[in-house]
């Protein structure tokens, strides 16, 4: 009995593998087959790059939209003619609308535009029907301040130039007319008008970007304008927006408030930001599928690796390696393979986002949750992909493995 206990106590125990040892044996297979590692990791990298770039591009676009909202504000309201209760009746806003809106409590700035029947062309020789989609509008002097717009070149209409044949072109209308600098002339109505300014883009008022703007008094003198505004723009304090909205229609037209439509231009940007997020969800799903395909590739590579390395597995088992150590070796190898693909994918995705943001003039935004989540997904896939090959390798009999080799 004592002899048996002595022999049992003298049995060899399997050496424990430290983290350094695990990393060494796990990377051995990767070092011996670098080309296969690159090709296998490429599938993971493509999936992660797709996910990171989709999230990054969407986040960059949303960041730009939020910047526009912060810059332009969400306290802008526009009153315009709605539909009359009587079919065929034209709705006109009263001439005193602008002054009345300016008296509402909380309103800071007011401006207005009015659609004119005149057309604008590069010169009188161009066909009158070839307008290029450019509208001619009369405008009050306060419009630019209300819209928080800026004049890219030249100057805005003032009390003097607003009375004479002078025009300010929106960003888009200047491009369509081929006007690159103030001082040039365009044919507006039945005479030449001098371009005194060209506006920068106005995200909250795209209709102004496609317009030629003349002064309110000048439109009355030169273009038979009757003085009825088409759109009344007001900017109030943030706290007063809802209160102003409730009374704006009745203030613009006290007799027929039902004929006045009040809109919030910033809602279009908010809806666009929401649409960007919804569309990115679909593309994110496609990236997930690509990542799944990459995981299948890693699993296939690990199975082939087990078949090719049976001699190594048998030799390690015969030297005392336990089944658990063999499993750890191959799971670690799978994790390293997926991790390399994940790191490459994060770098590729972030770079693709950077290129897109730079080319479009957008802020470069790559959310940390996307990077962490994407890399974490690669580790999970690497673990799952390596489990079956690891279990299969650990179950190989040392004698059969050495004999088959």
């Amino acid at each position: 009995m004592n002899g048996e206990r002595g022999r049992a106590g003298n049995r060899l125990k399997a050496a424990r593998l430290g983290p350094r040892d695990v990393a060494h044996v796990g990377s051995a297979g990767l070092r011996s087959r670098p080309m296969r590692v690159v090709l296998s990791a490429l599938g993971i990298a493509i999936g992660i790059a797709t996910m990171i770039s989709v999230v990054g591009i969407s986040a960059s676009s949303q960041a730009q939209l939020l910047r526009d909202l912060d810059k332009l504000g969400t306290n802008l309201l526009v009153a315009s003619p709605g539909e009359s209760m009587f079919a065929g009746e034209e709705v006109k806003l009263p001439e005193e609308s602008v002054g009345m809106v300016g008296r509402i409590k909380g309103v800071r700035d007011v401006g207005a535009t009015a659609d004119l029947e005149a057309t604008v062309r590069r010169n009188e020789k161009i066909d009158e029907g070839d307008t290029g989609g450019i509208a001619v509008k009369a405008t009050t002097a306060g419009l630019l301040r209300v819209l928080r717009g800026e004049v890219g070149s030249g100057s805005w209409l003032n009390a003097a130039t607003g009375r004479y044949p002078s025009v300010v072109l929106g960003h888009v209308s200047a491009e369509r007319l081929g006007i690159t600098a103030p001082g040039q002339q365009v044919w507006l109505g039945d005479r030449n008008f001098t371009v005194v300014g060209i506006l920068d883009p106005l995200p909250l008022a795209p209709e102004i970007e496609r317009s030629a703007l003349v002064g309110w008094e000048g439109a009355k003198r030169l273009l038979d304008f009757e003085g009825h505004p088409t759109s009344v723009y007001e900017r109030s304090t943030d706290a007063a927006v809802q209160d102003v909205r409730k009374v704006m229609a009745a203030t613009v037209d006290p007799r027929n408030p039902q004929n006045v439509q009040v809109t919030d231009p910033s809602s279009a940007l908010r809806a666009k930001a929401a649409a960007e997020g919804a569309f990115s969800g679909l593309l994110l799903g496609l990236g997930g599928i690509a990542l799944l395909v990459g995981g299948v590739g890693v699993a296939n590579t690990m199975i082939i690796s087990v078949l090719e390395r049976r001699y190594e597995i048998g030799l390690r088992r015969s030297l005392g390696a336990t089944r658990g150590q063999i499993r750890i070796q191959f799971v670690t190898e799978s994790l390293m393979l997926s991790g390399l693909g994940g790191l490459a994918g994060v770098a590729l995705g972030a770079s693709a986002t950077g290129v897109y943001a730079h080319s479009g003039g957008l802020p470069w935004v790559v959310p940390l949750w996307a990077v962490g989540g994407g890399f974490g997904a690669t580790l999970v896939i690497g673990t799952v992909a390596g489990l079956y090959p690891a279990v299969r390798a650990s179950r190989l009999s040392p004698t059969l493995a050495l004999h088959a080799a």
Side-chain angles (χ1 to χ4, degrees), residues 140-155:
T140 60
L143 178 68
L144 195 63
R145 184 173 60 256
V146 176
L147 297 179
R148 293 182 182 174
E150 295 182 358
V151 180
S153 58
S155 60

Side-chain angles (χ1 to χ4, degrees), residues 173-400:
S173 59
E175 291 181 350
R176 293 178 181 177
L177 289 170
I179 302 296
T180 57
Q184 298 175 272
Q185 291 189 324
V186 294
W187 189 258
L188 197 155
D190 59 356
R191 68 180 68 200
N192 282 315
F193 273 63
T194 300
V195 177
V196 296
I198 299 174
L199 299 179
D200 282 338
L202 290 168
L204 284 186
E207 70 279 5
I208 303 299
E209 294 184 336
R210 299 186 294 270
S211 300
L213 306 170
V214 298
W216 202 264
E217 295 302 322
K220 289 181 178 180
R221 292 179 58 249
L222 305 172
L223 300 172
D224 299 325
F225 173 45
E226 296 179 353
H228 294 280
T230 305
S231 298
V232 179
Y233 301 82
E234 71 79 28
R235 193 176 291 276
S236 57
T237 60
D238 292 333
V241 172
Q242 295 304 320
D243 292 336
V244 172
R245 185 165 194 159
K246 292 176 182 178
V247 301
M248 191 169 179
T251 304
V252 170
D253 191 349
R255 295 181 179 179
N256 300 292
Q258 72 279 0
N259 292 343
V260 181
Q261 181 180 10
V262 179
T263 57
D264 174 10
S266 64
S267 61
L269 284 180
R270 290 196 294 270
K272 187 176 180 181
E276 289 275 355
F279 184 66
S280 66
L282 173 62
L283 296 179
L284 198 60
L286 295 177
I289 293 174
L291 184 59
L292 214 58
V293 172
V296 173
V298 170
N300 184 56
T301 298
M302 294 307 300
I303 290 174
I304 294 175
S305 180
V306 169
L307 294 175
E308 289 181 345
R309 296 162 63 188
R310 285 178 296 180
Y311 178 79
E312 174 193 334
I313 296 169
L315 184 59
R316 288 198 64 207
R317 288 298 310 280
S318 65
L319 292 176
T322 64
R323 288 185 175 183
Q325 291 173 347
I326 297 297
R327 285 195 294 267
I328 290 174
Q329 174 186 347
F330 282 91
V331 169
T332 302
E333 185 173 327
S334 178
L335 278 172
M336 286 183 171
L337 181 57
S338 299
L340 288 174
L343 289 175
V346 169
L348 286 173
S351 299
T353 302
V355 171
Y356 177 85
H358 179 73
S359 61
L362 303 176
W364 182 21
V365 180
V366 179
L368 291 178
W369 66 262
V371 175
F375 189 70
T378 63
L379 298 182
V380 171
I381 286 178
T383 302
V384 173
L387 280 177
Y388 173 71
V391 171
R392 181 171 179 174
S394 67
R395 289 179 178 176
L396 284 176
S397 168
T399 305
L400 294 178

